[in-house]
């Protein structure tokens, strides 16, 4: 599918996919959980991670925001601590969705 992109876009999509996969793995989320947080289907997330589907402007922003969230070591510690609780998966998803919403809202 890379033939649909120009060479610069191929590299950008591969890089966004790497960023997205790393962020998801840092949070300990499955593709299904992370897709829900981003408001995408699991299939779409998998294609973004592989770099075979072009993320739109809004989705690229979400991916970059998720990257900034997971680069912050203190925030990542909180995410990991929430993940370790009994209700960790839903709470982690809610926390990430809230953080993403705050970043999107604040611009």
């Amino acid at each position: 599918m890379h033939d649909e992109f120009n060479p610069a876009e191929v590299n950008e999509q591969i890089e966004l996919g790497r960023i997205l996969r790393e962020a998801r793995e840092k949070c300990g989320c499955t593709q299904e959980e992370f897709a829900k947080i981003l408001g995408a289907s699991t299939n779409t997330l998998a294609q973004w991670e592989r770099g075979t589907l072009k993320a739109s402007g809004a989705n690229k922003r979400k991916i970059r925001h998720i990257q900034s969230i997971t680069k912050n070591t203190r925030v990542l510690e909180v995410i990991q601590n929430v993940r370790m609780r009994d209700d960790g998966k839903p709470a982690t998803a809610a926390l990430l969705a809230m953080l993403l919403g705050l970043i999107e809202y604040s611009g």
Side-chain angles (χ1 to χ4, degrees):
M1 282 196 181
H2 289 307
D3 57 346
E4 297 175 14
F5 306 132
N6 68 46
E9 288 176 324
V10 169
N11 292 335
E12 179 184 22
Q13 293 310 125
I14 290 171
E15 177 64 12
L16 281 175
R18 183 191 62 74
I19 289 167
L20 188 55
R21 186 174 40 261
E22 285 179 5
R24 179 178 59 79
E25 289 171 352
K26 282 181 181 179
C27 294
C29 292
T30 65
Q31 283 185 331
E32 184 177 37
E33 292 165 340
F34 222 59
K36 287 179 185 175
I37 292 165
L38 293 172
S41 72
T42 304
N43 185 49
T44 296
L45 177 72
Q47 289 181 61
W48 285 341
E49 285 189 1
R50 288 192 308 269
T52 58
L53 181 65
K54 186 175 182 177
S56 69
N59 288 321
K60 278 200 281 193
R61 274 193 311 280
K62 283 183 184 178
I63 293 168
R64 296 288 185 197
H65 293 324
I66 285 287
Q67 178 189 32
S68 68
I69 290 168
T70 58
K71 276 187 169 183
N72 183 310
T73 56
R74 182 63 188 126
V75 171
L76 200 53
E77 285 175 16
V78 171
I79 290 168
Q80 298 300 335
N81 287 335
V82 168
R83 187 87 179 156
M84 299 299 271
R85 294 186 351 200
D86 291 341
D87 64 340
K89 286 184 179 185
T92 300
L95 175 60
L96 285 169
M98 179 194 68
L99 291 170
L100 187 58
L102 286 171
I103 290 172
E104 289 281 312
Y105 179 76
S106 66

